[in-house]
Structures are given as C-alpha cells and as structure tokens.
Amino acid sequence: MAVNRFFVTATDTDAGKTYISSLLLQGFRALGHAAAGVKPIAAGTDQQGLNGDALRLMQHSGLALPYAQVNPICYQAAVAPHLAAQITQQPILESQLTQALQDWQQLALQHLLIEGAGGWLLPISKHRYLADWVAEQRLPVVLVVGMKLGCLNHAMLTVREIERSGCQLVAWVANCIDPQMALLQENITDLQQRIAAPCLGVVPFMPAEQQQSALATQLAAALTAIINKND
C-alpha cells in the first residue's frame, strides 16, 4: 500500500511546523495509524550535532528511525540553510533529498510527514527553492498558519505561491502563537473564507496536556478524512 505523503510548510519560521507535525503524529498513533515525521533539511544543532525539530519528530513517530535517516541534511549554525551550505562548502544536493524520499516511501508506514524548513520559499541554491523540489515530487501540502498580526497577508501569499507552483494544498491549520492577538476568531474566519482547502483545526496557545491530546486526535482524524475522500 502506498504511503500517504504530506509536506508540512508554514507562513514563516516559528509558525509551528514541528509542533503541528508532532500533534499529527500523536494523533495518528492514537488512531492506530503507522506514521513518521522527517526533516530533510535543518539548520541549528545541539552539542551533539542534532537538530531539535528532528529530535521532536523522532520522539513522536510511530517508527524508530536512525537520526541520519530522519534528517539527512543538517547544518550546525542556526541560519538560512543555503547560507550555511555556502559557509561550510557543503551544498544542498537535491539528489540526496530525492534518494531520502525514495527510502522513506519504502518504510512500513501509512503516513509520512515531511517537514520543511522556514517558510515555503526556502532557498536551497542560487536559483532553486525547496518548493521547486516539492513540486517536482508532487507532494501534497499542509500549511501551518502562525496566527499573529500580519498572518492574513503571509497566509494568502503562501497559498497563492503553493497554487502557482502546481502543488496541491490539501489542508491548513490555524496555530495560535500570539496569545494577545486582537480579533483572533475574526482572522481565523476570514482565512477559512479565503482558503479553499479545509482547516484541520485551531490550535490554541499552549494548550493543557489533556486538551493537547484531544487536539492531536482531531487533527489526525480530519486529515485522515481528507485522505479517504480523495481516494
């Protein structure tokens, strides 16, 4: 059976890609679905040379994988990956990304979450963006919208660019990263009216552990329903 692949992107850095991906992974586990999260490109590591986002995906994945398979391209400095690649003279090779994707698709999984880095138009070389590779691999996209002042513009720019690239935006999540955001519900309603893809759910700022578990199941169930509808 083919693996359901999803590329998880966001309106910006720190919009919550890893957090939402980890919730989806927890939800899939609660539903009894085999799922894993991977981080093809990361920048910023601990003293052991490991990236925190990749480690969090490993923590919540339903399949134990070696770190190098979860995060095949990793740079120590917490900067734009293509700039880190220039500094270290270790270029981001799309052939390496494609090989990693082929390997992930051979795993005994129902769902594979491929988390991007930064926002949608992440440069990976002088003329290429990670979005170009995502489009060529025909990966369906899940968008995390970091709910804060300015998110309407960021969200719609991202949605338009995803559509322009030929990718399918299958769903989005409203992740409330600013607890003081004015007119939060009005902003969410506005985005629901503007974005054709369904909203999997609204994740409040720092939900309690019990609420977080229920949210995880809700998000995973909503994405599963979309998968079943499209089959």
Side-chain angles (χ1 to χ4, degrees):
M1 184 174 64
V3 179
N4 297 309
R5 314 171 306 163
F6 298 100
F7 183 80
V8 181
T9 191
T11 46
D12 202 353
T13 301
D14 294 332
K17 293 186 303 297
T18 305
Y19 178 53
I20 299 303
S21 294
S22 67
L23 284 179
L24 282 167
L25 291 171
Q26 293 173 63
F28 283 134
R29 178 176 291 185
L31 295 173
H33 298 179
V38 294
K39 182 89 172 176
I41 303 172
T45 66
D46 59 18
Q47 293 181 345
Q48 286 72 47
L50 306 177
N51 176 262
D53 292 346
L55 290 174
R56 183 163 187 170
L57 295 175
M58 293 176 69
Q59 176 186 352
H60 295 290
S61 290
L63 183 65
L65 299 172
Y67 180 88
Q69 187 170 7
V70 172
N71 178 209
I73 299 176
C74 187
Y75 299 98
Q76 181 179 3
V79 298
H82 75 297
L83 297 181
Q86 292 176 17
I87 294 169
T88 61
Q89 296 185 339
Q90 295 178 315
I92 299 171
L93 301 177
E94 292 187 52
S95 59
Q96 188 176 358
L97 296 176
T98 301
Q99 182 59 58
L101 178 60
Q102 292 174 357
D103 293 341
W104 294 326
Q105 291 175 159
Q106 300 304 313
L107 298 171
L109 296 171
Q110 290 173 264
H111 312 294
L112 174 68
L113 301 182
I114 305 167
E115 183 189 320
W120 177 246
L121 288 181
L122 178 86
I124 56 175
S125 66
K126 187 174 182 179
H127 301 292
R128 295 276 289 178
Y129 298 87
L130 185 56
D132 298 325
W133 178 81
V134 173
E136 289 172 0
Q137 302 303 321
R138 299 183 179 181
L139 298 175
V141 179
V142 174
L143 172 64
V144 178
V145 177
M147 299 303 301
K148 63 178 183 177
L149 184 64
C151 69
L152 298 182
N153 176 58
H154 292 163
M156 297 317 301
L157 282 173
T158 305
V159 168
R160 285 192 176 187
E161 185 60 23
I162 290 171
E163 293 172 346
R164 188 203 63 77
S165 72
C167 289
Q168 178 190 12
L169 178 63
V170 294
W172 65 282
V173 177
N175 185 32
C176 302
I177 59 176
D178 179 6
Q180 304 301 324
M181 183 181 182
L183 301 179
L184 172 62
Q185 185 55 56
E186 288 84 350
N187 276 267
I188 293 171
T189 300
D190 192 85
L191 284 173
Q192 288 173 330
Q193 294 171 348
R194 294 179 189 276
I195 301 175
C199 179
L200 296 181
V202 177
V203 177
F205 181 76
M206 295 183 66
E209 186 173 347
Q210 185 175 2
Q211 184 184 13
Q212 187 169 281
S213 178
L215 279 167
T217 303
Q218 173 198 331
L219 295 176
L223 188 52
T224 299
I226 293 171
I227 293 169
N228 293 337
K229 182 179 179 180
N230 292 338
D231 284 345

